[in-house]
Amino acid sequence: MKTDNTELFEHMPVSKAVITLIIPTVISQIITVIYNMADTFFIGQMNDPNQVAAATLAMPPFVMLTGIANLFGIGGASLISRSLGTGDREKAKKCAAFSIWSAAAVSFLYGIIMYLIRPVIFPLLGTDANTYGYCSNYVLWTITIGGIPTVLNACLAHLVRAEGYSKEASFGVALGGILNIIFDPVLIYPLKLGVTGAAIATMLSNVIAMTYFMFLLQKNTERTVIKFSLRDYSLHQGIPKEILFVGFPSFVMMLMGVFSNTVLNRIVVSYSNQAIADMGIAKKIDMLAFAIANGMTQGVLPLIGYTYAANKWKRMRAVIKTAFIYSVAVALAGAVLLFVCAVPVVKGFIDDKETVAYGQHFLRIICVTCPAVSVTMMIISVFQATGQKTRPMILSLLRKGGLDIPFMFLMNAVAGADGIPWATPIADSLAMGMALVLFIPYRKQLKETIAYDCRCRNMGKRRWIPTAAGRRGC
Protein backbone atom coordinates (compact mmCIF):
# COMPACT_ATOMS: atom_id res chain seq x y z
CA MET A 1 0.00 0.00 0.00
CA LYS A 2 1.36 3.40 -0.95
CA THR A 3 1.32 6.26 1.51
CA ASP A 4 -1.04 8.65 -0.27
CA ASN A 5 -3.85 8.43 -2.78
CA THR A 6 -4.37 12.18 -3.21
CA GLU A 7 -3.39 11.89 -6.88
CA LEU A 8 -6.17 9.37 -7.52
CA PHE A 9 -8.82 11.24 -5.56
CA GLU A 10 -8.03 14.78 -6.72
CA HIS A 11 -6.01 14.91 -9.92
CA MET A 12 -6.22 11.69 -11.93
CA PRO A 13 -8.53 11.96 -14.99
CA VAL A 14 -12.03 10.92 -13.96
CA SER A 15 -12.39 7.99 -16.38
CA LYS A 16 -9.02 6.59 -15.32
CA ALA A 17 -9.78 7.10 -11.61
CA VAL A 18 -13.16 5.37 -11.92
CA ILE A 19 -11.68 2.45 -13.86
CA THR A 20 -8.79 2.17 -11.40
CA LEU A 21 -11.25 1.79 -8.54
CA ILE A 22 -14.01 -0.29 -10.12
CA ILE A 23 -12.15 -2.90 -12.16
CA PRO A 24 -10.46 -4.62 -9.19
CA THR A 25 -13.71 -4.39 -7.22
CA VAL A 26 -15.77 -5.86 -10.05
CA ILE A 27 -13.28 -8.69 -10.52
CA SER A 28 -13.39 -9.53 -6.81
CA GLN A 29 -17.21 -9.43 -6.85
CA ILE A 30 -17.30 -11.76 -9.86
CA ILE A 31 -14.95 -14.18 -8.14
CA THR A 32 -17.12 -14.02 -5.01
CA VAL A 33 -20.20 -14.94 -7.05
CA ILE A 34 -18.29 -17.67 -8.85
CA TYR A 35 -17.28 -19.25 -5.56
CA ASN A 36 -20.88 -19.00 -4.34
CA MET A 37 -21.90 -20.66 -7.58
CA ALA A 38 -19.12 -23.20 -7.12
CA ASP A 39 -20.82 -24.58 -4.02
CA THR A 40 -24.00 -25.17 -6.01
CA PHE A 41 -22.04 -26.48 -9.00
CA PHE A 42 -19.96 -29.03 -7.11
CA ILE A 43 -22.90 -30.13 -4.95
CA GLY A 44 -25.02 -30.39 -8.09
CA GLN A 45 -22.56 -32.82 -9.65
CA MET A 46 -23.66 -35.32 -7.03
CA ASN A 47 -27.11 -35.21 -8.73
CA ASP A 48 -28.82 -35.03 -5.34
CA PRO A 49 -31.57 -32.36 -5.47
CA ASN A 50 -31.94 -32.54 -1.67
CA GLN A 51 -28.38 -31.34 -1.07
CA VAL A 52 -28.70 -28.62 -3.72
CA ALA A 53 -31.99 -27.56 -2.15
CA ALA A 54 -30.40 -27.56 1.33
CA ALA A 55 -27.60 -25.24 0.18
CA THR A 56 -30.23 -22.94 -1.36
CA LEU A 57 -32.37 -22.94 1.79
CA ALA A 58 -29.35 -22.22 4.01
CA MET A 59 -28.26 -19.29 1.86
CA PRO A 60 -30.59 -16.61 3.35
CA PRO A 61 -29.13 -16.82 6.91
CA PHE A 62 -25.62 -16.96 5.42
CA VAL A 63 -26.27 -13.84 3.34
CA MET A 64 -27.08 -12.02 6.58
CA LEU A 65 -23.34 -12.10 7.28
CA THR A 66 -22.86 -9.94 4.22
CA GLY A 67 -25.53 -7.63 5.60
CA ILE A 68 -23.56 -7.25 8.85
CA ALA A 69 -20.37 -6.61 6.89
CA ASN A 70 -22.12 -3.96 4.79
CA LEU A 71 -23.66 -2.30 7.86
CA PHE A 72 -20.25 -1.55 9.35
CA GLY A 73 -18.14 -1.75 6.17
CA ILE A 74 -20.08 0.55 3.84
CA GLY A 75 -21.08 2.88 6.66
CA GLY A 76 -17.48 3.02 7.84
CA ALA A 77 -16.09 3.42 4.32
CA SER A 78 -18.38 6.36 3.62
CA LEU A 79 -17.37 8.20 6.80
CA ILE A 80 -13.67 7.36 6.36
CA SER A 81 -13.60 8.71 2.78
CA ARG A 82 -15.42 11.89 3.84
CA SER A 83 -13.10 12.34 6.83
CA LEU A 84 -10.06 11.95 4.57
CA GLY A 85 -11.62 14.47 2.16
CA THR A 86 -11.57 17.07 4.95
CA GLY A 87 -8.11 16.01 6.16
CA ASP A 88 -9.33 14.53 9.47
CA ARG A 89 -7.24 11.35 9.68
CA GLU A 90 -7.79 10.96 13.42
CA LYS A 91 -11.54 10.66 12.99
CA ALA A 92 -11.00 8.27 10.07
CA LYS A 93 -8.90 6.08 12.37
CA LYS A 94 -11.65 5.97 15.00
CA CYS A 95 -14.24 5.15 12.33
CA ALA A 96 -12.20 2.15 11.21
CA ALA A 97 -11.74 0.80 14.74
CA PHE A 98 -15.46 1.14 15.50
CA SER A 99 -16.39 -0.67 12.30
CA ILE A 100 -13.97 -3.57 12.80
CA TRP A 101 -14.68 -4.38 16.44
CA SER A 102 -18.43 -3.83 16.20
CA ALA A 103 -18.65 -6.08 13.12
CA ALA A 104 -16.72 -8.84 14.91
CA ALA A 105 -18.94 -8.67 18.01
CA VAL A 106 -22.23 -8.67 16.11
CA SER A 107 -21.21 -11.55 13.81
CA PHE A 108 -20.15 -13.64 16.83
CA LEU A 109 -23.50 -13.14 18.55
CA TYR A 110 -25.40 -13.82 15.33
CA GLY A 111 -23.57 -17.11 14.79
CA ILE A 112 -24.36 -18.38 18.28
CA ILE A 113 -28.01 -17.32 18.17
CA MET A 114 -28.60 -18.77 14.70
CA TYR A 115 -27.33 -22.20 15.68
CA LEU A 116 -29.36 -22.28 18.90
CA ILE A 117 -32.65 -21.38 17.22
CA ARG A 118 -32.21 -23.53 14.12
CA PRO A 119 -35.05 -25.95 15.10
CA VAL A 120 -37.40 -22.98 14.90
CA ILE A 121 -35.87 -21.10 11.97
CA PHE A 122 -35.14 -23.94 9.55
CA PRO A 123 -38.76 -25.09 9.12
CA LEU A 124 -39.67 -21.47 8.40
CA LEU A 125 -37.00 -21.43 5.70
CA GLY A 126 -38.67 -24.42 4.04
CA THR A 127 -36.59 -27.38 5.22
CA ASP A 128 -38.06 -30.84 5.53
CA ALA A 129 -36.81 -34.21 6.77
CA ASN A 130 -34.64 -34.56 3.66
CA THR A 131 -32.87 -31.20 3.96
CA TYR A 132 -32.80 -30.30 7.69
CA GLY A 133 -29.59 -32.15 8.53
CA TYR A 134 -27.74 -30.75 5.53
CA CYS A 135 -28.86 -27.20 6.40
CA SER A 136 -27.80 -27.62 10.03
CA ASN A 137 -24.27 -28.66 9.07
CA TYR A 138 -23.99 -25.83 6.55
CA VAL A 139 -25.00 -23.19 9.12
CA LEU A 140 -22.67 -24.62 11.78
CA TRP A 141 -19.57 -24.26 9.62
CA THR A 142 -20.35 -21.10 7.66
CA ILE A 143 -22.14 -18.99 10.30
CA THR A 144 -21.44 -20.23 13.82
CA ILE A 145 -17.79 -21.13 13.28
CA GLY A 146 -17.05 -19.06 10.18
CA GLY A 147 -19.16 -15.96 10.89
CA ILE A 148 -16.41 -13.66 12.18
CA PRO A 149 -13.90 -14.30 9.36
CA THR A 150 -16.65 -14.06 6.74
CA VAL A 151 -17.83 -10.69 8.06
CA LEU A 152 -14.36 -9.24 8.68
CA ASN A 153 -13.14 -10.32 5.25
CA ALA A 154 -15.88 -8.25 3.55
CA CYS A 155 -15.82 -5.41 6.10
CA LEU A 156 -12.06 -4.90 5.85
CA ALA A 157 -12.32 -4.86 2.06
CA HIS A 158 -14.76 -1.93 2.28
CA LEU A 159 -12.54 -0.04 4.72
CA VAL A 160 -9.31 -0.58 2.76
CA ARG A 161 -11.11 0.52 -0.40
CA ALA A 162 -12.17 3.73 1.39
CA GLU A 163 -8.52 4.82 1.40
CA GLY A 164 -8.38 4.25 -2.35
CA TYR A 165 -6.61 0.89 -2.23
CA SER A 166 -9.03 -0.94 -4.46
CA LYS A 167 -6.49 -3.48 -5.75
CA GLU A 168 -5.44 -4.60 -2.29
CA ALA A 169 -9.03 -4.85 -1.11
CA SER A 170 -10.10 -6.79 -4.17
CA PHE A 171 -7.16 -9.16 -3.92
CA GLY A 172 -8.22 -10.14 -0.41
CA VAL A 173 -11.81 -10.84 -1.47
CA ALA A 174 -10.67 -12.66 -4.61
CA LEU A 175 -8.21 -14.75 -2.58
CA GLY A 176 -11.05 -16.10 -0.46
CA GLY A 177 -13.10 -16.90 -3.54
CA ILE A 178 -10.31 -18.70 -5.37
CA LEU A 179 -9.39 -20.76 -2.33
CA ASN A 180 -13.01 -21.76 -1.86
CA ILE A 181 -13.17 -23.01 -5.45
CA ILE A 182 -10.01 -25.06 -4.81
CA PHE A 183 -11.20 -26.46 -1.48
CA ASP A 184 -14.72 -27.37 -2.65
CA PRO A 185 -13.98 -30.41 -4.85
CA VAL A 186 -11.39 -31.72 -2.39
CA LEU A 187 -13.75 -31.68 0.58
CA ILE A 188 -16.95 -32.63 -1.27
CA TYR A 189 -15.75 -35.65 -3.29
CA PRO A 190 -12.63 -37.44 -1.96
CA LEU A 191 -13.65 -36.89 1.66
CA LYS A 192 -17.32 -37.51 0.76
CA LEU A 193 -18.55 -34.61 2.89
CA GLY A 194 -21.08 -33.30 0.36
CA VAL A 195 -22.75 -30.04 1.38
CA THR A 196 -20.83 -30.07 4.68
CA GLY A 197 -17.58 -30.06 2.73
CA ALA A 198 -18.75 -27.02 0.79
CA ALA A 199 -19.49 -25.26 4.08
CA ILE A 200 -16.06 -26.09 5.54
CA ALA A 201 -14.43 -24.85 2.33
CA THR A 202 -16.24 -21.52 2.67
CA MET A 203 -15.14 -21.15 6.30
CA LEU A 204 -11.49 -21.98 5.61
CA SER A 205 -11.23 -19.66 2.62
CA ASN A 206 -12.63 -16.72 4.61
CA VAL A 207 -10.24 -17.38 7.50
CA ILE A 208 -7.29 -17.18 5.13
CA ALA A 209 -8.65 -14.04 3.42
CA MET A 210 -9.15 -12.34 6.79
CA THR A 211 -5.59 -13.26 7.76
CA TYR A 212 -4.35 -11.61 4.55
CA PHE A 213 -6.04 -8.34 5.50
CA MET A 214 -4.60 -8.50 9.02
CA PHE A 215 -1.06 -8.97 7.68
CA LEU A 216 -1.58 -6.22 5.08
CA LEU A 217 -2.71 -3.67 7.65
CA GLN A 218 -0.08 -4.68 10.20
CA LYS A 219 2.63 -4.28 7.58
CA ASN A 220 1.39 -0.78 6.72
CA THR A 221 0.42 0.28 10.24
CA GLU A 222 2.23 3.62 9.97
CA ARG A 223 0.53 4.52 6.70
CA THR A 224 -3.07 3.44 7.06
CA VAL A 225 -5.83 4.77 9.31
CA ILE A 226 -7.27 1.24 9.60
CA LYS A 227 -6.00 -0.38 12.77
CA PHE A 228 -7.05 -3.17 15.11
CA SER A 229 -6.24 -1.31 18.31
CA LEU A 230 -9.12 -1.09 20.80
CA ARG A 231 -7.66 2.23 21.96
CA ASP A 232 -8.98 3.80 18.76
CA TYR A 233 -12.49 2.47 19.37
CA SER A 234 -14.73 5.46 20.04
CA LEU A 235 -18.41 6.18 20.61
CA HIS A 236 -17.89 9.93 20.35
CA GLN A 237 -18.02 12.52 17.51
CA GLY A 238 -21.23 10.95 16.27
CA ILE A 239 -19.24 8.06 14.78
CA PRO A 240 -21.61 5.19 15.72
CA LYS A 241 -24.68 7.11 14.57
CA GLU A 242 -23.13 8.16 11.27
CA ILE A 243 -21.75 4.72 10.42
CA LEU A 244 -24.89 2.82 11.39
CA PHE A 245 -27.32 5.18 9.70
CA VAL A 246 -25.36 5.27 6.43
CA GLY A 247 -24.66 1.53 6.43
CA PHE A 248 -28.14 0.54 7.58
CA PRO A 249 -29.75 0.75 4.10
CA SER A 250 -27.25 -1.83 2.83
CA PHE A 251 -28.01 -4.03 5.83
CA VAL A 252 -31.74 -3.62 5.25
CA MET A 253 -31.29 -4.51 1.59
CA MET A 254 -29.63 -7.76 2.61
CA LEU A 255 -32.21 -8.38 5.33
CA MET A 256 -35.07 -7.81 2.94
CA GLY A 257 -33.25 -9.93 0.38
CA VAL A 258 -33.13 -12.76 2.92
CA PHE A 259 -36.82 -12.29 3.69
CA SER A 260 -37.63 -12.14 -0.01
CA ASN A 261 -35.65 -15.30 -0.82
CA THR A 262 -37.21 -17.10 2.13
CA VAL A 263 -40.70 -16.28 0.88
CA LEU A 264 -39.65 -17.27 -2.64
CA ASN A 265 -38.31 -20.61 -1.40
CA ARG A 266 -41.47 -21.26 0.60
CA ILE A 267 -43.61 -20.66 -2.48
CA VAL A 268 -41.46 -22.64 -4.91
CA VAL A 269 -40.85 -25.58 -2.56
CA SER A 270 -44.58 -26.34 -2.70
CA TYR A 271 -44.00 -27.52 -6.27
CA SER A 272 -40.93 -29.75 -5.82
CA ASN A 273 -37.35 -29.84 -4.51
CA GLN A 274 -36.28 -29.82 -8.16
CA ALA A 275 -38.06 -26.51 -8.66
CA ILE A 276 -36.37 -24.89 -5.67
CA ALA A 277 -33.01 -26.25 -6.78
CA ASP A 278 -33.62 -24.65 -10.17
CA MET A 279 -34.56 -21.32 -8.68
CA GLY A 280 -31.41 -21.44 -6.55
CA ILE A 281 -29.27 -22.08 -9.62
CA ALA A 282 -30.97 -19.31 -11.61
CA LYS A 283 -30.59 -16.85 -8.73
CA LYS A 284 -26.91 -17.60 -8.28
CA ILE A 285 -26.19 -17.23 -11.99
CA ASP A 286 -28.08 -13.95 -12.11
CA MET A 287 -26.02 -12.79 -9.13
CA LEU A 288 -23.13 -12.43 -11.58
CA ALA A 289 -24.76 -9.42 -13.22
CA PHE A 290 -25.73 -8.02 -9.83
CA ALA A 291 -22.15 -8.48 -8.61
CA ILE A 292 -20.83 -6.39 -11.48
CA ALA A 293 -23.23 -3.56 -10.69
CA ASN A 294 -22.50 -3.87 -6.99
CA GLY A 295 -18.75 -3.91 -7.63
CA MET A 296 -18.96 -0.70 -9.63
CA THR A 297 -20.97 1.08 -6.94
CA GLN A 298 -18.73 -0.09 -4.11
CA GLY A 299 -15.60 0.75 -6.06
CA VAL A 300 -16.62 4.31 -6.86
CA LEU A 301 -18.16 5.11 -3.44
CA PRO A 302 -14.90 6.35 -1.83
CA LEU A 303 -14.21 8.68 -4.76
CA ILE A 304 -17.70 10.18 -4.59
CA GLY A 305 -17.45 10.59 -0.81
CA TYR A 306 -14.01 12.20 -0.99
CA THR A 307 -14.91 14.69 -3.71
CA TYR A 308 -18.15 15.53 -1.90
CA ALA A 309 -16.36 16.30 1.38
CA ALA A 310 -13.66 18.25 -0.46
CA ASN A 311 -16.34 20.40 -2.20
CA LYS A 312 -15.22 19.35 -5.69
CA TRP A 313 -18.63 19.46 -7.43
CA LYS A 314 -17.46 19.27 -11.04
CA ARG A 315 -15.26 16.27 -10.38
CA MET A 316 -17.94 14.51 -8.35
CA ARG A 317 -20.53 15.07 -11.09
CA ALA A 318 -18.14 13.65 -13.68
CA VAL A 319 -17.45 10.62 -11.48
CA ILE A 320 -21.15 9.88 -11.03
CA LYS A 321 -21.89 10.29 -14.75
CA THR A 322 -18.99 8.07 -15.81
CA ALA A 323 -19.87 5.35 -13.29
CA PHE A 324 -23.51 5.38 -14.42
CA ILE A 325 -22.56 4.91 -18.07
CA TYR A 326 -20.15 2.06 -17.37
CA SER A 327 -22.55 0.27 -15.00
CA VAL A 328 -25.58 0.35 -17.29
CA ALA A 329 -23.59 -0.67 -20.38
CA VAL A 330 -22.07 -3.69 -18.66
CA ALA A 331 -25.44 -4.68 -17.15
CA LEU A 332 -27.08 -4.65 -20.58
CA ALA A 333 -24.34 -6.83 -22.02
CA GLY A 334 -24.64 -9.27 -19.10
CA ALA A 335 -28.42 -9.52 -19.46
CA VAL A 336 -28.15 -10.35 -23.15
CA LEU A 337 -25.47 -12.98 -22.53
CA LEU A 338 -27.44 -14.72 -19.77
CA PHE A 339 -30.64 -14.70 -21.81
CA VAL A 340 -29.00 -16.25 -24.88
CA CYS A 341 -26.96 -18.84 -22.99
CA ALA A 342 -29.56 -19.80 -20.35
CA VAL A 343 -29.91 -23.50 -21.28
CA PRO A 344 -26.22 -24.49 -21.47
CA VAL A 345 -25.42 -22.43 -18.37
CA VAL A 346 -28.07 -24.12 -16.22
CA LYS A 347 -27.26 -27.52 -17.69
CA GLY A 348 -23.65 -27.02 -16.65
CA PHE A 349 -24.77 -27.06 -13.01
CA ILE A 350 -26.97 -30.14 -12.96
CA ASP A 351 -27.87 -32.50 -15.80
CA ASP A 352 -31.48 -33.18 -14.85
CA LYS A 353 -34.18 -32.62 -17.46
CA GLU A 354 -36.81 -31.16 -15.13
CA THR A 355 -34.25 -29.00 -13.37
CA VAL A 356 -32.91 -27.54 -16.62
CA ALA A 357 -36.44 -26.83 -17.84
CA TYR A 358 -37.29 -24.80 -14.76
CA GLY A 359 -33.84 -23.22 -14.48
CA GLN A 360 -33.53 -21.77 -17.98
CA HIS A 361 -37.06 -20.34 -17.73
CA PHE A 362 -36.32 -18.70 -14.37
CA LEU A 363 -32.95 -17.35 -15.52
CA ARG A 364 -34.23 -15.75 -18.72
CA ILE A 365 -36.91 -13.88 -16.81
CA ILE A 366 -34.73 -12.79 -13.89
CA CYS A 367 -31.81 -11.54 -16.02
CA VAL A 368 -34.07 -8.94 -17.68
CA THR A 369 -33.81 -6.87 -14.51
CA CYS A 370 -30.02 -6.36 -14.68
CA PRO A 371 -30.01 -2.79 -16.14
CA ALA A 372 -32.65 -1.60 -13.65
CA VAL A 373 -30.62 -3.00 -10.76
CA SER A 374 -27.46 -1.21 -11.95
CA VAL A 375 -29.24 2.16 -11.99
CA THR A 376 -30.80 1.68 -8.56
CA MET A 377 -27.57 0.46 -6.97
CA MET A 378 -25.58 3.38 -8.33
CA ILE A 379 -28.09 5.89 -6.99
CA ILE A 380 -28.07 4.20 -3.59
CA SER A 381 -24.26 4.40 -3.61
CA VAL A 382 -24.34 8.14 -4.34
CA PHE A 383 -26.72 8.67 -1.42
CA GLN A 384 -24.50 6.64 0.91
CA ALA A 385 -21.27 8.27 -0.24
CA THR A 386 -22.69 11.71 0.57
CA GLY A 387 -24.00 10.66 3.98
CA GLN A 388 -27.69 10.44 3.11
CA LYS A 389 -29.86 8.16 5.25
CA THR A 390 -33.57 8.33 4.41
CA ARG A 391 -33.38 8.10 0.61
CA PRO A 392 -31.25 4.92 0.41
CA MET A 393 -33.40 3.38 3.13
CA ILE A 394 -36.53 3.91 1.05
CA LEU A 395 -34.92 2.35 -2.01
CA SER A 396 -33.55 -0.59 -0.02
CA LEU A 397 -36.99 -1.38 1.37
CA LEU A 398 -38.63 -1.06 -2.04
CA ARG A 399 -36.13 -3.07 -4.03
CA LYS A 400 -36.39 -6.20 -1.89
CA GLY A 401 -39.41 -7.18 0.13
CA GLY A 402 -41.51 -4.08 -0.33
CA LEU A 403 -42.45 -4.78 -3.93
CA ASP A 404 -41.28 -8.22 -5.01
CA ILE A 405 -42.99 -10.26 -2.28
CA PRO A 406 -46.52 -9.01 -3.09
CA PHE A 407 -45.82 -9.66 -6.77
CA MET A 408 -44.57 -13.19 -5.96
CA PHE A 409 -47.93 -14.11 -4.48
CA LEU A 410 -49.78 -12.33 -7.27
CA MET A 411 -47.84 -13.99 -10.09
CA ASN A 412 -48.02 -17.39 -8.37
CA ALA A 413 -51.79 -17.07 -8.18
CA VAL A 414 -52.02 -15.95 -11.80
CA ALA A 415 -49.48 -18.19 -13.56
CA GLY A 416 -48.14 -20.69 -11.02
CA ALA A 417 -44.45 -21.59 -10.95
CA ASP A 418 -43.86 -20.10 -14.40
CA GLY A 419 -45.08 -16.70 -13.22
CA ILE A 420 -43.19 -16.43 -9.91
CA PRO A 421 -39.83 -15.22 -11.34
CA TRP A 422 -41.61 -12.28 -13.06
CA ALA A 423 -41.93 -10.64 -9.63
CA THR A 424 -38.21 -9.77 -9.72
CA PRO A 425 -38.07 -7.65 -12.91
CA ILE A 426 -41.39 -5.97 -12.09
CA ALA A 427 -40.22 -4.97 -8.61
CA ASP A 428 -36.76 -3.83 -9.76
CA SER A 429 -38.21 -1.71 -12.58
CA LEU A 430 -40.54 0.07 -10.15
CA ALA A 431 -37.65 0.56 -7.69
CA MET A 432 -35.55 2.10 -10.46
CA GLY A 433 -38.35 4.56 -11.22
CA MET A 434 -38.49 5.62 -7.58
CA ALA A 435 -34.68 5.90 -7.47
CA LEU A 436 -34.72 8.35 -10.37
CA VAL A 437 -37.53 10.35 -8.75
CA LEU A 438 -35.42 10.73 -5.60
CA PHE A 439 -32.09 11.31 -7.35
CA ILE A 440 -32.93 14.02 -9.89
CA PRO A 441 -33.89 16.72 -7.32
CA TYR A 442 -31.07 15.58 -4.99
CA ARG A 443 -28.54 16.16 -7.76
CA LYS A 444 -29.58 19.82 -7.90
CA GLN A 445 -29.43 20.03 -4.11
CA LEU A 446 -25.89 18.65 -4.13
CA LYS A 447 -24.73 21.30 -6.56
CA GLU A 448 -26.15 24.10 -4.43
CA THR A 449 -24.75 22.66 -1.21
CA ILE A 450 -21.22 22.29 -2.50
CA ALA A 451 -21.27 25.65 -4.26
CA TYR A 452 -22.49 27.72 -1.31
CA ASP A 453 -21.34 25.91 1.84
CA CYS A 454 -18.00 25.41 3.53
CA ARG A 455 -16.76 23.91 6.75
CA CYS A 456 -16.19 26.73 9.24
CA ARG A 457 -13.29 26.06 11.58
CA ASN A 458 -12.83 29.55 13.03
CA MET A 459 -15.49 28.95 15.71
CA GLY A 460 -13.80 25.77 16.93
CA LYS A 461 -16.61 23.52 15.79
CA ARG A 462 -17.96 22.13 12.52
CA ARG A 463 -20.62 24.19 10.88
CA TRP A 464 -21.82 24.86 7.33
CA ILE A 465 -22.20 28.52 6.38
CA PRO A 466 -23.77 29.71 3.08
CA THR A 467 -21.79 32.22 1.07
CA ALA A 468 -22.67 34.66 -1.66
CA ALA A 469 -22.11 34.29 -5.39
CA GLY A 470 -21.41 30.60 -5.11
CA ARG A 471 -18.04 31.09 -3.44
CA ARG A 472 -16.88 29.14 -0.44
CA GLY A 473 -16.05 31.08 2.69
CA CYS A 474 -16.12 30.93 6.47
Side-chain angles (χ1 to χ4, degrees):
M1 293 171 67
K2 298 179 181 179
T3 59
D4 192 4
N5 265 327
T6 303
E7 171 64 24
L8 185 151
F9 283 127
E10 297 188 359
H11 306 299
M12 184 179 292
V14 170
S15 294
K16 183 178 179 180
V18 170
I19 291 175
T20 299
L21 289 170
I22 67 175
I23 287 183
T25 311
V26 168
I27 291 174
S28 68
Q29 288 290 311
I30 291 175
I31 293 176
T32 299
V33 171
I34 290 175
Y35 95 70
N36 281 325
M37 290 164 52
D39 282 355
T40 304
F41 174 79
F42 288 119
I43 295 171
Q45 299 310 298
M46 301 175 70
N47 289 319
D48 183 355
N50 289 323
Q51 293 201 53
V52 176
T56 301
L57 293 170
M59 190 53 57
F62 178 72
V63 169
M64 281 297 296
L65 294 175
T66 303
I68 295 171
N70 287 347
L71 174 63
F72 296 102
I74 292 180
S78 174
L79 189 52
I80 288 172
S81 63
R82 284 180 280 136
S83 298
L84 294 176
T86 59
D88 194 347
R89 289 181 61 85
E90 190 62 30
K91 184 175 181 179
K93 185 187 300 183
K94 293 177 180 179
C95 294
F98 176 84
S99 296
I100 291 170
W101 288 103
S102 297
V106 171
S107 59
F108 173 76
L109 291 174
Y110 174 70
I112 297 298
I113 292 172
M114 179 55 63
Y115 192 74
L116 292 177
I117 65 173
R118 69 191 189 285
V120 177
I121 293 295
F122 283 6
L124 296 177
L125 295 175
T127 61
D128 57 20
N130 296 320
T131 57
Y132 181 89
Y134 294 130
C135 282
S136 183
N137 289 336
Y138 195 90
V139 166
L140 171 65
W141 286 101
T142 59
I143 298 178
T144 305
I145 297 175
I148 291 178
T150 298
V151 168
L152 286 187
N153 179 22
C155 182
L156 289 170
H158 287 303
L159 301 184
V160 169
R161 197 176 292 119
E163 289 191 292
Y165 303 113
S166 184
K167 292 180 180 179
E168 291 82 353
S170 300
F171 178 81
V173 175
L175 175 65
I178 294 171
L179 289 175
N180 197 13
I181 295 172
I182 295 173
F183 292 156
D184 263 343
V186 175
L187 294 173
I188 291 175
Y189 304 133
L191 298 182
K192 299 181 180 180
L193 294 176
V195 70
T196 301
I200 296 174
T202 298
M203 181 273 295
L204 290 176
S205 61
N206 280 315
V207 168
I208 295 173
M210 180 187 69
T211 304
Y212 157 78
F213 279 114
M214 294 176 70
F215 275 114
L216 174 71
L217 295 172
Q218 182 61 36
K219 179 181 178 182
N220 296 278
T221 186
E222 298 300 324
R223 305 173 181 177
T224 180
V225 298
I226 305 168
K227 303 179 186 299
F228 290 93
S229 174
L230 270 172
R231 291 177 297 177
D232 295 320
Y233 190 91
S234 175
L235 300 177
H236 303 295
Q237 295 182 271
I239 290 174
K241 178 181 178 181
E242 185 71 16
I243 289 176
L244 294 176
F245 271 96
V246 172
F248 196 60
S250 294
F251 174 78
V252 168
M253 189 181 300
M254 286 294 173
L255 179 64
M256 296 306 290
V258 169
F259 182 47
S260 174
N261 285 335
T262 300
V263 173
L264 176 64
N265 290 341
R266 292 286 293 178
I267 296 174
V268 177
V269 77
S270 63
Y271 292 94
S272 67
N273 276 343
Q274 283 80 8
I276 198 169
D278 291 333
M279 182 62 80
I281 291 172
K283 281 282 189 180
K284 287 199 172 186
I285 296 170
D286 185 64
M287 281 173 62
L288 185 63
F290 174 81
I292 295 173
N294 195 39
M296 289 185 169
T297 59
Q298 289 182 8
V300 82
L301 186 148
L303 184 56
I304 296 173
Y306 186 98
T307 51
Y308 169 75
N311 293 333
K312 296 179 179 295
W313 162 249
K314 289 184 178 180
R315 184 170 177 81
M316 185 180 75
R317 181 176 60 182
V319 169
I320 295 172
K321 180 180 178 180
T322 302
F324 260 112
I325 293 173
Y326 289 166
S327 182
V328 173
V330 173
L332 282 169
V336 171
L337 181 63
L338 290 175
F339 189 90
V340 172
C341 302
V343 173
V345 169
V346 175
K347 196 171 183 179
F349 280 82
I350 183 169
D351 192 8
D352 177 82
K353 186 176 181 180
E354 183 181 356
T355 302
V356 173
Y358 270 118
Q360 61 88 18
H361 175 71
F362 290 164
L363 180 58
R364 281 178 170 157
I365 294 173
I366 292 174
C367 74
V368 172
T369 195
C370 294
V373 171
S374 68
V375 172
T376 305
M377 293 298 295
M378 186 59 68
I379 290 175
I380 290 175
S381 183
V382 172
F383 287 149
Q384 290 180 313
T386 55
Q388 290 295 299
K389 303 169 183 67
T390 304
R391 292 179 176 93
M393 180 65 70
I394 293 172
L395 295 178
S396 298
L397 289 171
L398 280 178
R399 187 179 170 269
K400 282 294 181 182
L403 292 173
D404 62 341
I405 290 178
F407 280 111
M408 285 179 198
F409 286 104
L410 175 62
M411 297 307 295
N412 183 44
V414 171
D418 291 339
I420 295 172
W422 280 106
T424 298
I426 293 172
D428 280 327
S429 297
L430 292 174
M432 180 188 68
M434 177 57 72
L436 292 172
V437 168
L438 293 174
F439 178 71
I440 292 173
Y442 181 64
R443 181 179 178 276
K444 296 179 181 178
Q445 179 185 333
L446 274 177
K447 183 176 182 180
E448 293 173 358
T449 300
I450 296 177
Y452 288 96
D453 293 351
C454 76
R455 191 173 299 274
C456 183
R457 302 182 184 278
N458 294 337
M459 297 179 65
K461 61 181 181 179
R462 293 172 183 171
R463 193 173 76 174
W464 293 93
I465 297 179
T467 62
R471 292 181 177 277
R472 293 183 294 160
C474 289

